[in-house]
């Protein structure tokens, strides 16, 4: 089984399209989305509908999905993120809003992997470093788990009491899953990467080969930016896409 694992699309249809185009050329048996389908980007409806059409699909909610659905107080949102939420609320179609409102809360178990948006003990918590990962490992029922939310592709591995983090760079990275290790993996963000690499990030988990391959693909950034500016969303949301910030 090969699962496409992706997160934080944030209404960036151009980035999502590029990822799915890549997926189409390779065998994918299952789609797993770790939340934040909307917020920031200018194509919330098209993004939701494209993700919804993937089969079979497992998807959990992110904090931006909750905020658009009115399920989050938005206290932690900065002014730009909050403005994007208000804009998304004003544009989202009823059927898509209902889809967001029904998204399950993480963590969720699927085929002996644990998935969450933020952390297994709190869907809104950011796992930013090894200390956060140490806590998160305590909550994991399986050796393999995936999370999103931070927009940084990273692997945390645990062997005995040792927890180590490895940030990923370059176009492709490979993780061979080893016996006796536990892993907490972030595939990075499709629609708003923040590791100074503007390419859309995602991962493919192969259960037969016991490996996770991390990918980056180019997409039409200029088109995504044009839509953001035309929509009169904050210009910073367009600028950061070029920088990968
Ligand atoms: Zn996000």
């Amino acid at each position: 089984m090969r699962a496409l694992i992706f997160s934080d699309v944030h209404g960036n249809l151009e980035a999502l399209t590029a990822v799915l185009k890549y997926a189409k050329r390779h065998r994918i048996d299952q789609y797993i989305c770790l939340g934040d389908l909307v917020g920031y980007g200018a194509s919330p409806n098209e993004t939701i509908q494209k993700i919804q059409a993937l089969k079979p699909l497992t998807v959990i909610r992110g904090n931006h999905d909750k905020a658009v659905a009115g399920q989050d107080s938005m206290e932690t949102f900065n002014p730009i993120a909050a403005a994007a939420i208000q804009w998304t609320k004003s544009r989202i179609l009823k059927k898509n809003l209902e889809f967001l409102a029904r998204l399950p809360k993480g963590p969720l178990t699927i085929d002996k992997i644990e998935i969450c948006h933020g952390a297994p003990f709190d869907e809104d918590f950011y796992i930013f470093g090894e200390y956060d990962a140490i806590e998160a490992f305590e909550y994991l029922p399986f050796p393999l788990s995936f999370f999103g939310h931070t927009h940084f592709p990273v692997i945390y591995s645990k062997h005995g009491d040792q927890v180590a983090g490895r940030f990923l760079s370059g176009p492709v990275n490979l993780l061979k899953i080893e016996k006796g290790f536990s892993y907490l993996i972030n595939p990075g963000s499709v629609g708003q990467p923040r590791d100074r690499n503007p390419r859309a990030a995602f991962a493919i988990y192969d259960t037969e080969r016991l490996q996770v391959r991390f990918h980056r693909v180019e997409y039409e950034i200029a088109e995504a930016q044009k839509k953001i500016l035309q929509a009169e969303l904050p210009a910073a949301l367009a600028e950061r896409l070029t920088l990968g910030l």
Side-chain angles (χ1 to χ4, degrees):
M1 197 270 292
R2 282 163 55 86
L4 177 75
I5 301 173
F6 64 105
S7 191
D8 297 279
V9 179
H10 285 293
N12 187 336
L13 180 67
E14 289 69 28
L16 177 65
T17 301
V19 169
L20 296 180
K21 200 170 153 192
Y22 179 94
K24 234 182 177 175
R25 296 201 310 267
H26 301 77
R27 199 189 95 219
I28 298 294
D29 307 302
Q30 194 171 152
Y31 296 87
I32 297 175
C33 175
L34 308 176
D36 275 0
L37 287 68
V38 298
Y40 301 135
S43 308
N45 289 303
E46 298 88 335
T47 296
I48 290 172
Q49 285 160 215
K50 217 175 175 70
I51 291 174
Q52 226 178 345
L54 300 171
K55 302 264 171 346
L57 168 73
T58 302
V59 50
I60 52 173
R61 68 186 189 183
N63 51 321
H64 289 251
D65 307 320
K66 279 199 292 180
V68 169
Q71 297 165 338
D72 191 290
S73 67
M74 290 178 56
E75 274 166 21
T76 58
F77 283 71
N78 64 50
I80 287 178
I85 295 294
Q86 293 309 340
W87 180 89
T88 306
K89 277 184 166 179
S90 73
R91 302 299 172 98
I92 197 155
L93 298 174
K94 191 164 170 271
K95 60 173 183 177
N96 293 332
L97 183 63
E98 284 167 3
F99 177 77
L100 288 186
R102 282 197 310 267
L103 288 178
K105 177 184 178 179
L108 211 66
T109 295
I110 166 154
D111 291 340
K112 290 196 175 167
I113 60 172
E114 187 90 335
I115 59 168
C116 55
H117 182 64
F121 53 86
D122 178 351
E123 61 177 340
D124 296 330
F125 187 88
Y126 291 90
I127 299 176
F128 266 132
E130 286 165 356
Y131 285 106
D132 298 329
I134 288 169
E135 192 179 358
F137 273 115
E138 298 295 316
Y139 289 81
L140 296 175
F142 304 108
L144 190 58
S145 58
F146 293 89
F147 69 101
H149 201 30
T150 64
H151 299 208
F152 287 102
V154 61
I155 301 165
Y156 293 105
S157 57
K158 184 179 185 206
H159 186 60
D161 286 338
Q162 296 296 314
V163 171
R166 186 176 125 206
F167 283 88
L168 301 164
S169 58
V172 177
N173 281 278
L174 184 69
L175 168 71
K176 285 270 181 200
I177 294 164
E178 290 182 69
K179 264 202 159 73
F181 281 76
S182 296
Y183 300 95
L184 199 51
I185 296 168
N186 190 325
S189 166
V190 171
Q192 197 193 78
R194 293 181 188 162
D195 59 344
R196 296 182 183 273
N197 178 349
R199 293 170 189 84
F202 59 100
I204 295 175
Y205 168 43
D206 188 320
T207 59
E208 282 125 52
R209 291 185 174 167
L210 280 179
Q211 65 186 32
V212 179
R213 201 177 273 274
F214 297 81
H215 298 268
R216 301 306 286 257
V217 291
E218 309 233 358
Y219 72 94
E220 291 174 39
I221 292 179
E223 183 64 21
Q225 290 174 316
K226 198 175 91 192
K227 287 186 188 169
I228 287 172
L229 298 174
Q230 278 171 354
E232 296 184 354
L233 278 156
L237 293 173
E239 285 157 20
R240 65 189 301 175
L241 294 181
T242 323
L243 306 168
L245 280 176

